[in-house]
Amino acid sequence: MSYIKAADVLPKEIIDLIQKYIDGEYVYIPRKESNRKAWGENTKGKEMILFRNMEIYEKYTEGMPVGHLSETYYLSPKSIQKIIAKFKLENQ
């Protein structure tokens, strides 16, 4: 996240009003709900995790044990089991 100077984007009256409440402090102004982006929308993270999880499920159905998948993907056995269970539900 980058910062912008309030003086560059806000009218002096608004800056004066904000200074009345918090003088010289940092303030985070959240996005409007309608402008928010879902996790992974800006990067390929969400897509990459889905691809990884599909790969895990495929290898599991081909006979690879949970313990081996856990070591291969650096995830706990419980995480591997959750991924498998999710794909099993979706494929019923």
Side-chain angles (χ1 to χ4, degrees):
M1 178 185 302
S2 62
Y3 294 96
I4 55 174
K5 290 174 66 175
D8 292 344
V9 294
L10 298 174
K12 178 152 178 27
E13 300 81 35
I14 293 178
I15 294 172
D16 290 341
L17 185 62
I18 293 170
Q19 287 172 329
K20 182 176 167 182
Y21 295 94
I22 46 169
D23 189 24
E25 298 292 327
Y26 290 107
V27 177
Y28 171 74
I29 300 172
R31 289 185 173 275
K32 289 182 181 178
E33 193 67 39
S34 60
N35 292 337
R36 289 193 176 167
K37 295 181 181 181
W39 177 85
E41 197 172 329
N42 285 344
T43 65
K44 298 287 184 193
K46 196 173 196 177
E47 188 178 306
M48 290 170 54
I49 288 175
L50 177 62
F51 179 77
R52 179 205 66 190
N53 291 351
M54 289 170 46
E55 194 174 75
I56 288 170
Y57 182 70
E58 185 178 310
K59 288 182 179 183
Y60 172 78
T61 59
E62 292 171 353
M64 188 178 283
V66 170
H68 189 70
L69 288 165
S70 176
E71 292 172 8
T72 303
Y73 290 94
Y74 303 100
L75 295 170
S76 71
K78 193 71 173 170
S79 293
I80 298 291
Q81 291 167 347
K82 286 179 184 179
I83 291 166
I84 293 166
K86 181 178 181 244
F87 276 91
K88 278 185 179 178
L89 276 174
E90 291 174 1
N91 292 320
Q92 284 184 350

